[in-house]
């Protein structure tokens, strides 16, 4: 998704996914939005574009960390480095510019600088108190009463959020970008404390304070998403957010326009776009790059184009085994065994099935071939069925035997005792049966009709045996379908 982040927010699947988060917030529920670590750490940060689109739909909100340019950005604490050794002055008294011979006797070397001790990370309570202190400043909670309570700063700010100090309850969503917090886990503690405080105050859902925490699983305590009370906190995983329509949209936008009024050129383009969408799945950056790279749409050049595209794009760090490829997914979240690969944006759910990054297909040509076959099936099978139905009229015209006999010998089997329906049974003759009737002399076809029927039959047989059409076969089939 990294290269097409600008267009992702307009895709239908993403709009639906963001709409679910907005619906939960508008109902008064707090939300936890989990994104892969790769989307948060990428230099372009695609998560920012998704996040901005969500904020654009909210009427009002409180954002942490603040985007105020006057406030210095918050950085996570790091281990301090050693102080550099002084370059010019050693800390000794200055020496006059003459040599009396005694300097070598009384020379003193400066002691090495003391190693700075690393600062201890804040405790969970301190991190939560710091987060709530900044939240209180954003909400302009002056005189929070901490002087009177003396110690529970967190409890005091939470009480103010629920209107506990005779003020109105804060109903604006509190949005916390946990991946930009110095202690990301503090956002999760805020989420749980906020929900518990609102329930204890007896407020109805529409008047409770609510929060949206955006984070990766690496930012949260282990197992936290599964421990949250789902009736109070909605957990939204970035899993299966895009589907076939989204990938097809990205591919169509990345393809050069077909500057031709010939129908077969447009049909060939439809097969090419369906193939790219099936091969790339939910990995929209690969789909857009392959759509621009694979010019001719021939099966013979697909593998080389895919290699070139993968070589030019960053490869995910975590590649899981292929054992679960194509299996059905729950549609809600990745399995625990896939979390590491999910954080690396190496796996996703697409149309309800698990999909791996296309870089895994480079050494598995049979997988690419199977996906090409599936794409050709989706586009060509309806057209082949239409062509078969139209050719039935030719069969009637060229039949050398009575139609009831033709239907009985070459048509589909009927149940014993069923009344014959010659017209309907001729309409249901398969392409292979029509060709067999021609070979047996029951149908007399012209050379042109024979060539058309053989092309349709061969293509249908290949697809029926899970074999995709190569470049020449596809060209001949499309030529016949568009006559």
């Amino acid at each position: 998704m990294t290269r097409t982040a600008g267009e992702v927010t307009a895709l239908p699947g993403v709009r639906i996914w963001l709409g679910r988060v907005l619906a939960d917030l508008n109902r008064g529920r707090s939300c936890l939005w989990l994104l892969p670590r790769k989307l948060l750490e990428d230099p372009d940060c695609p998560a920012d574009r998704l996040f901005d689109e969500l904020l654009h739909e909210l009427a009002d909100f409180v954002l942490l960390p603040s985007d105020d340019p006057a406030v210095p950005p918050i950085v996570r604490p790091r281990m301090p480095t050693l102080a550099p050794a002084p370059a010019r002055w050693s800390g000794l008294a200055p020496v006059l510019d003459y040599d009396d011979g005694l300097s070598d006797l009384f020379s003193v070397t400066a002691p090495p600088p003391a190693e700075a001790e690393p600062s201890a990370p804040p405790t969970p309570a301190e991190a939560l108190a710091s987060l709530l202190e900044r939240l209180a400043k954003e909400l302009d909670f002056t005189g929070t009463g901490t002087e009177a309570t003396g110690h529970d700063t967190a409890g005091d700010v939470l009480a103010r959020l629920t209107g506990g100090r005779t003020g109105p309850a804060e109903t604006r969503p509190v949005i916390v970008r946990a991946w930009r917090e110095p202690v990301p886990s503090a956002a999760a503690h805020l989420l749980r404390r906020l929900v518990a405080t609102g329930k204890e105050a007896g407020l109805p859902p529409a008047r409770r304070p609510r929060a949206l925490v955006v984070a990766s699983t690496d930012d949260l305590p282990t197992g936290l998403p599964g421990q949250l009370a789902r009736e109070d906190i909605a957990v939204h995983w970035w899993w299966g957010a895009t589907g076939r329509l989204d990938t097809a949209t990205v591919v169509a936008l990345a393809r050069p326009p077909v500057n031709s009024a010939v129908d077969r050129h447009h049909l060939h383009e439809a097969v090419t776009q369906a193939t790219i969408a099936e091969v790339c799945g939910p990995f929209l950056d690969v789909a857009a790059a392959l759509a621009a790279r694979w010019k001719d749409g021939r099966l013979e050049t697909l593998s080389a184009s895919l290699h070139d595209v993968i070589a030019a794009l960053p490869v995910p760090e975590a590649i899981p085994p292929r054992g679960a490829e194509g299996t059905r997914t729950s549609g809600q979240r990745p399995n625990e065994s896939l979390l590491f690969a999910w954080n690396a944006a190496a796996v996703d759910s697409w149309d309800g099935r698990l999909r791996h990054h296309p870089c895994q297909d480079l050494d598995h040509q049979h997988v690419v071939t199977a996906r090409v076959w599936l794409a050709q099936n989706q586009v060509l099978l309806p057209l082949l069925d239409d062509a078969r139905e139209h050719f039935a009229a030719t069969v009637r015209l060229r039949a050398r035997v009575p139609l009831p006999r033709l239907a009985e010998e070459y048509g589909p089997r009927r149940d014993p005792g069923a009344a014959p329906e010659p017209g309907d049974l001729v309409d249901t003759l398969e392409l292979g049966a029509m060709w067999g009737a021609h070979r047996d002399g029951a149908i007399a076809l012209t050379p042109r009709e024979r060539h058309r029927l053989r092309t349709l039959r061969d293509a249908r047989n290949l697809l029926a045996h899970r074999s995709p059409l190569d470049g020449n076969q596809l060209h001949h089939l499309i030529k016949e379908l568009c006559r």
Side-chain angles (χ1 to χ4, degrees):
M1 182 175 93
T2 53
R3 286 199 172 186
T4 57
E7 297 87 5
V8 160
T9 56
L11 295 176
V14 177
R15 300 295 303 176
I16 292 173
W17 194 93
L18 293 176
R20 295 193 188 106
V21 180
L22 288 167
D24 281 330
L25 288 174
N26 292 332
R27 284 197 296 263
R29 298 183 71 188
S30 290
C31 297
L32 175 60
W33 178 4
L34 294 171
L35 284 163
R37 169 60 58 186
K38 173 68 174 176
L39 300 189
L40 302 175
E41 292 181 342
D42 193 83
D44 187 37
C45 197
D48 277 340
R49 299 179 185 270
L50 296 170
F51 188 69
D52 291 343
E53 187 67 21
L54 181 71
L55 297 185
H56 180 72
E57 299 293 334
L58 290 172
D60 198 4
F61 55 88
V62 182
L63 181 62
L64 291 175
S66 173
D67 280 337
D68 186 355
V71 179
I74 297 175
V75 295
R76 300 189 186 186
R78 298 180 179 178
M79 297 291 288
T81 57
L82 295 179
R88 293 187 177 274
W89 184 56
S90 64
L92 302 176
V95 180
L96 299 178
D97 193 15
Y98 63 91
D99 184 9
D100 58 359
L102 300 176
S103 58
D104 293 336
L105 298 176
F106 299 99
S107 60
V108 181
T109 29
E115 182 177 342
E117 296 184 1
S119 58
T123 64
E126 292 172 342
L128 177 60
S130 173
L131 178 59
L132 284 169
E133 181 181 358
R134 287 184 280 117
L135 175 59
K137 291 180 180 179
E138 290 292 326
L139 297 172
D140 196 21
F141 282 176
T142 57
T144 56
T146 54
E147 297 84 356
T149 58
H151 59 285
D152 191 10
T153 305
D156 182 80
V157 175
L158 290 168
R160 291 287 296 271
L161 286 170
T162 58
R165 294 189 177 276
T166 69
E170 179 58 61
T171 57
R172 290 180 295 171
V174 178
I175 316 294
V176 184
R177 295 172 288 187
W179 82 92
R180 292 188 174 179
E181 287 288 326
V183 183
S185 59
H189 297 312
L190 168 65
L191 185 65
R192 303 181 83 166
R193 287 283 300 271
L194 188 65
V195 171
T197 304
K199 294 182 69 174
E200 291 173 1
L203 297 174
R207 292 184 54 206
R208 290 178 190 169
R210 57 194 186 277
L212 169 64
V213 172
V214 187
S216 171
T217 54
D218 294 343
D219 300 327
L220 305 175
T222 304
L224 175 69
Q227 300 168 5
L228 298 175
R230 298 304 172 89
E231 66 274 9
D232 301 319
I233 301 174
V235 180
H236 295 272
W237 292 78
W238 187 257
W239 178 252
T242 57
R244 187 179 302 276
L245 178 59
D246 305 292
T247 308
T249 302
V250 170
V251 171
L253 291 173
R255 290 290 292 176
V258 181
N259 296 320
S260 173
V262 181
D263 289 342
R264 62 176 178 268
H265 293 165
H266 290 272
L267 179 54
H268 189 275
E269 178 64 18
V271 175
T272 301
Q273 293 189 19
T275 301
I276 296 171
E278 191 65 45
V279 168
C280 299
F283 301 93
L284 305 184
D285 54 341
V286 182
L290 184 60
R293 173 69 178 81
W294 191 33
K295 302 289 187 181
D296 57 11
R298 294 176 60 88
L299 178 61
E300 295 83 351
T301 60
L302 174 59
S303 180
S305 297
L306 186 60
H307 273 80
D308 293 343
V309 166
I310 297 298
L313 292 174
V315 177
E317 298 177 358
I319 302 296
R322 297 192 57 90
E325 170 76 16
T327 57
R328 284 287 177 184
T329 63
S330 64
Q332 301 296 324
R333 54 159 296 173
N335 295 331
E336 292 293 331
S337 60
L338 295 173
L339 281 184
F340 186 64
W342 174 76
N343 273 309
V347 295
D348 203 344
S349 174
W350 195 65
D351 279 4
R353 290 188 176 273
L354 177 66
R355 288 294 300 264
H356 292 167
H357 193 277
C359 67
Q360 282 197 274
D361 298 337
L362 297 181
D363 299 324
H364 300 84
Q365 184 59 37
H366 66 283
V367 175
V368 178
T369 301
R371 289 179 178 152
V372 174
W373 165 80
L374 186 58
Q376 291 183 357
N377 257 6
Q378 293 168 353
V379 178
L380 297 175
L381 274 187
L383 300 177
L384 281 168
D385 284 341
D386 289 343
R388 180 194 60 78
E389 292 178 3
H390 285 103
F391 204 82
T394 303
V395 171
R396 278 201 184 92
L397 182 64
R398 304 298 186 187
R400 287 180 169 178
V401 298
L403 293 181
R405 177 184 168 188
L406 182 67
E408 183 179 357
E409 293 184 1
Y410 298 97
R413 294 181 179 178
R414 302 193 306 270
D415 294 333
E421 299 178 3
D424 291 341
L425 290 179
V426 169
D427 288 341
T428 59
L429 284 176
E430 297 294 339
L431 293 168
M434 294 177 183
W435 181 256
H438 165 68
R439 294 289 301 270
D440 295 342
I443 303 173
L445 299 176
T446 66
R448 178 72 198 86
E449 293 166 344
R450 183 169 62 248
H451 179 270
R452 176 178 176 80
L453 178 59
R454 183 170 56 192
T455 302
L456 296 176
R457 184 208 61 164
D458 291 348
R460 185 64 182 86
N461 285 346
L462 281 172
L463 294 177
H465 290 86
R466 302 179 66 89
S467 297
L469 279 64
D470 62 25
N472 291 333
Q473 292 166 339
L474 181 61
H475 170 76
H476 293 314
L477 174 62
I478 289 177
K479 188 176 180 180
E480 290 298 330
L481 291 175
C482 294
R483 284 190 182 276

